[in-house]
Every structure is written in C-alpha cells, then in structure tokens.
Amino acid sequence: MPARPPRHPSRFLTQAALADLADLPASSRWVRRDGLRLHVLDYGGEGVPLLVLPGLASPAVTLDGVARELTDLVRPVVLDPRGHGLSDDGADHSPDALAADAEAVVNGLGLPEPLLLGHGLGARIAAATAVRARVPLRGTLLVDPPLGGPGAARSPAAPASLDEEVRRAREGADPHGAADLWPRWSRRDRELRARWLPSCGEEAVAAAHCAVTEEGFPSWWRAVPAPVTLVYGAESPVVTALKAAEAATAHPGARLVRVPDAGHMVFWDAPRPALRVLRAALTRTLTEPGGGRALPRPRAAGVPAEPSTAPPAAPTGEVEVPEELTAAPGYLARRLYQAYLAAWLRHVDGTLTGPQFAVLQITGAYPGTDQKTVAGVAALDTSTMADVARRLEARGLLARAPSPSDARRKLLRLTEEGHAALDDANRRARALDERLLQAFPASQRGEVPQRLSSLAERWERLSGEC
C-alpha cells in the first residue's frame, strides 16, 4: 500500500520505490532551509564534492546511473529539488529560491568549494547559483539547459507530456510499457522513472516549468564565471545547433561539448558517450588553473552585488607583457599551445586529448604495434602512455592484447569505434588547420609544420643535454 506523506496527498511513494534506496551506494542526508526539509543522496568519498541538480520531474534517485560512475573522480551529492522525491514542497520556484536551496546544501553539508552539475532546469539553477556567488565554487557544468526566456519555444518536457507520464505512473502502469515515451532508455532507468514520478508534486512541476519559460536565461548565461562547460545533445530540441552557436557567441569563455546521438535527456538517451564527455569535462575543470580558486564573479542584471574582499585589479591597459617575455620563445610556445588547445576543444573534439589523438593516429597507421613503441613515436613517457591507453580502452576506442612472443608486451589495435572516432577527428582537425594557417599565404603554409617540427626536434635534443 502506498505510503503517503500527510501534508502532500498528491505526492506518494510505493514500497517498491522506497526499496530502491537500499540498493544505492549512497546515504540519505537532510538539510533545512526556511522550514523546508531538503533531501540529498551523498555518494561519499574523499574527492572534490560535485553537487548535482536534477531536471524537471527528475528526483535524485533517477541520477544514480550517472553519480555512481563518477565516484572515482568526485564525491557526488545529488539534490531532490523541492517538490520532488523526499524533499518538501515550497511555494517559491524562482531561480533565486532554487539557487538558495543549492546554497543551503553546500553550507549545511559543509561541502568545500564544490563543482556544480545541472541538467535541464537543474542547469539553469546551477547557472543562477554560480552567478549569485554566495558560495565558493570550483566550476559549473550545464547539461542541455533551456536557453530561452519569454516567448521562446516550449520545452519538450512541457507540463502536458509530464502530466501524462505522472498519470500513467500513478495508475501503476508497467514501466516497460513506457517504452513508447522513452524508447532509448535502459530498462532500469524506465523503472526508476516510473516508480519515482509519483513523488513529484504537480504544482512544483508546473511552477518550475513556468520559471523556465518566463525567466530570461541569456543574462544569467553570459554572467556564469569560468570555468564553465555547456554539454548538449546533438539531437536535442532544446539546445539546437543554432542555439549552441548563439550560446558560444554570448559566452566566449565557456566550453561547449556535443554528445552524439543524444536528445535533451542526454544521460538516458546516450549514457556511454554522455558519461565520457562528462568525465572529460570534470577532469578538465578540476585540473585547469582557477578550477579551485574563488574568482571574481560577473553578475546578471538584477542580481544585487555583495562586498568583495579581493584586491583591486590593475586598470585595463596599464599593465603590458614585459619585453623579456615577448622575446622568450618558451613563453610564446606556451601561449601558442594554450590557444591551440582551446581551439581543438571547441572545433575538433571536447573529449579526445592531444596525447590520445596521437596514440590513435599512430595505432591506426601501424596496427599491432606494441605500446612502448607507440609511446616513443608519440613522445610520451611510459606512465603517461599506460594511462592514455587505459582510458582509450575504457572508451572502447582501443584494443590491447598480449604479444604471442612476450605476454608483457601489449599490442595495440583500433576498434571499429576507434577508427570512426579517428576519422571524424581527422576531418575536423584538417578543417581547423586550414583556419589556423589562414594568416600565411597558401604557398607558405606547408612550411609552418616543417619549421615547428625542426624546432621541436632541436628543443628535445637540448633538453637531453647536460
């Protein structure tokens, strides 16, 4: 018999749904804010906290498939938004109110400088939390957020379609019969969705959806401080290719990464590629400069400013790069590399690193070559090569097998998926090369790689000399 919370008869959970919590590698924790009890699932660990903000009609438990795959990188903490799951209802569903809930979780659980990850509506709340700057953050990852505001196209997860889902779930429909609603989802994800939808209050869903369509997001988006990554589905009706291009223009400091074969429900439509993209984005955010520091935060229109304790910055134009740096080849090489890396991530592949690309390229040209030889050609040390090979193998792009003559030697070959990924990366990389060398006359463009190669060889010899 369903267990119904006495204050909210329109929301309930069955015994089967409650039993799902026993199978999770996470602990239930609670935070209070202005009389509301907010429930979170804490996956524990010693990593940097990752506060996950789910989307519309998505209780925390439905993100379990994502959270449990990240525990080696971060400490996932997934919030039940107000009116969802085990959290209380609330009257206010504005971005500021929902952002304040996220801030209460950070403060209430003592999460030191967490990362924020939000999907759909949760992504908009993550953006608002970052812009408000009431808690120090390491970075923000937004997954397929509704980018419009008043007058924009309606979200595909509009109340009418959600009402149909909730109705069917409350009537006890077989979750496998919901395949017509979410045909690409795994069986477990459909089961969790069907069992936990009745925990979502109709008023909460409708009010949150109104906040999405009535609040102008562009002003918030432009003010989200770096580091920020926007992940979107290649087939999403919410973040279309055109909207993604507009978002990139509006926020030049953001990274945009596309997940192939995914719609708006990115992690459920294409879980494997989506997790690869997410892990790569998390790794970049955790390791890049500024990812662990509280930086000055630009603000959206209408958001009140707070006193700053940061020292005043030097006025623009008064500080120039010293001549000792502009004449230093190493400084210029670093600038060149950083610019190329940013261009690569934006125009070629947001998940494939330079060393990984080199290993795929060499292995594709010489299949069956041993790992040590590939490392030498790619200019990688053995430990880095081992890590690169392991990651490519985990992504299904590379196959490793022991040599018949010496089991300690690993022979490398590209998988079918690896060949496809390399072909796509090569196509994009050649297009990027054309753009990068446009500053040179066509007759001189072939000389640039030759000169860079000669310089690299010379510097490598110097680095080995006494």
Side-chain angles (χ1 to χ4, degrees):
M1 180 177 179
R4 297 175 180 266
R7 292 174 57 196
H8 310 302
S10 64
R11 300 172 58 196
F12 68 88
L13 284 171
T14 63
Q15 188 65 30
L18 293 172
D20 287 327
L21 297 175
D23 295 329
L24 303 183
S27 302
S28 285
R29 303 185 68 181
W30 300 84
V31 171
R32 286 185 178 270
R33 188 182 89 80
D34 293 343
L36 294 183
R37 297 165 298 182
L38 301 172
H39 172 257
V40 301
L41 291 173
D42 187 348
Y43 286 74
E46 299 299 322
V48 172
L50 173 71
L51 179 57
V52 183
L53 305 176
L56 203 62
S58 296
V61 70
T62 62
L63 271 294
D64 175 65
V66 176
R68 68 169 66 205
E69 293 294 330
L70 303 176
T71 53
D72 62 320
L73 284 178
V74 291
R75 170 193 169 187
V77 177
V78 191
L79 173 65
D80 264 332
R82 57 171 64 192
H84 293 64
L86 300 180
S87 289
D88 283 348
D89 283 310
D92 187 356
H93 289 83
S94 66
D96 279 299
L98 297 176
D101 288 348
E103 294 158 2
V105 171
V106 172
N107 291 325
L109 299 184
L111 304 180
E113 293 189 8
L115 291 160
L116 284 186
L117 167 65
H119 170 249
L121 173 65
R124 296 188 67 151
I125 304 312
T129 305
V131 172
R132 282 162 54 93
R134 308 290 174 83
V135 291
L137 303 173
R138 291 176 185 254
T140 311
L141 295 93
L142 311 179
V143 181
D144 223 74
L147 295 174
R154 291 171 65 82
S155 165
S161 61
L162 286 174
D163 286 347
E164 172 64 12
E165 277 193 86
V166 173
R167 183 189 64 77
R168 290 169 63 169
R170 288 178 176 173
E171 290 176 355
D174 179 1
H176 310 307
D180 62 319
L181 293 173
W182 305 110
R184 302 169 61 182
W185 290 23
S186 71
R187 174 173 177 169
R188 180 174 184 267
D189 285 334
R190 286 203 301 266
E191 289 177 342
L192 286 175
R193 178 82 168 182
R195 284 198 290 265
W196 282 82
L197 266 177
S199 75
C200 301
E202 296 175 8
E203 292 183 2
V205 171
H209 184 265
C210 285
V212 168
T213 56
E214 294 177 3
E215 292 280 349
F217 184 65
S219 60
W220 291 92
W221 163 243
R222 287 191 294 269
V224 177
V228 55
T229 301
L230 192 154
V231 177
Y232 65 100
E235 301 172 6
S236 172
V238 175
V239 183
T240 62
L242 177 59
K243 286 186 175 294
E246 293 173 348
T249 301
H251 196 325
R255 288 195 179 100
L256 271 74
V257 187
R258 179 176 57 91
V259 179
D261 302 321
H264 173 64
M265 303 300 283
V266 177
F267 298 117
W268 297 266
D269 292 340
R272 286 187 62 191
L275 282 169
R276 291 173 192 156
V277 166
L278 177 58
R279 288 179 64 88
L282 285 170
T283 301
R284 280 198 307 268
T285 305
L286 287 169
T287 56
E288 68 183 348
R293 293 183 286 118
L295 302 174
R297 314 234 178 215
R299 316 193 68 80
V303 179
E306 292 188 333
S308 173
T309 57
T316 302
E318 290 189 11
V319 176
E320 297 182 355
V321 180
E323 184 178 351
E324 288 80 2
L325 282 181
T326 59
Y331 169 75
L332 298 175
R334 180 170 62 82
R335 282 185 56 193
L336 196 67
Y337 171 72
Q338 289 175 333
Y340 179 75
L341 181 59
W344 174 279
L345 292 171
R346 184 177 294 270
H347 298 289
V348 179
D349 195 303
T351 61
L352 195 65
T353 65
Q356 291 174 356
F357 178 67
V359 169
L360 290 182
Q361 198 77 267
I362 297 164
T363 305
Y366 302 98
T369 304
D370 67 273
Q371 186 167 305
K372 183 177 181 180
T373 300
V374 172
V377 177
L380 300 174
D381 60 69
T382 55
S383 60
T384 301
M385 177 65 204
D387 182 65
V388 168
R390 178 179 58 80
R391 292 180 182 277
L392 290 174
E393 186 177 35
R395 292 176 58 186
L397 304 181
L398 189 71
R400 293 191 291 177
S403 169
S405 59
D406 184 352
R408 292 172 299 179
R409 296 174 61 221
K410 299 298 182 183
L411 306 183
L412 308 183
R413 293 182 182 274
L414 298 189
T415 64
E416 184 176 345
E417 188 176 353
H419 279 291
L422 179 59
D423 289 344
D424 183 61
N426 273 325
R427 177 179 57 81
R428 294 172 181 269
R430 297 295 76 78
L432 176 60
D433 291 345
E434 289 291 328
R435 297 178 65 182
L436 291 174
L437 299 179
Q438 281 177 351
F440 296 91
S443 60
Q444 298 179 11
R445 290 175 190 172
E447 298 177 10
V448 177
Q450 294 174 7
R451 291 181 179 274
L452 289 175
S453 180
S454 297
L455 196 61
E457 291 174 1
R458 171 62 177 161
W459 288 13
E460 286 170 349
R461 287 196 300 270
L462 283 173
S463 66
E465 293 178 1
C466 295

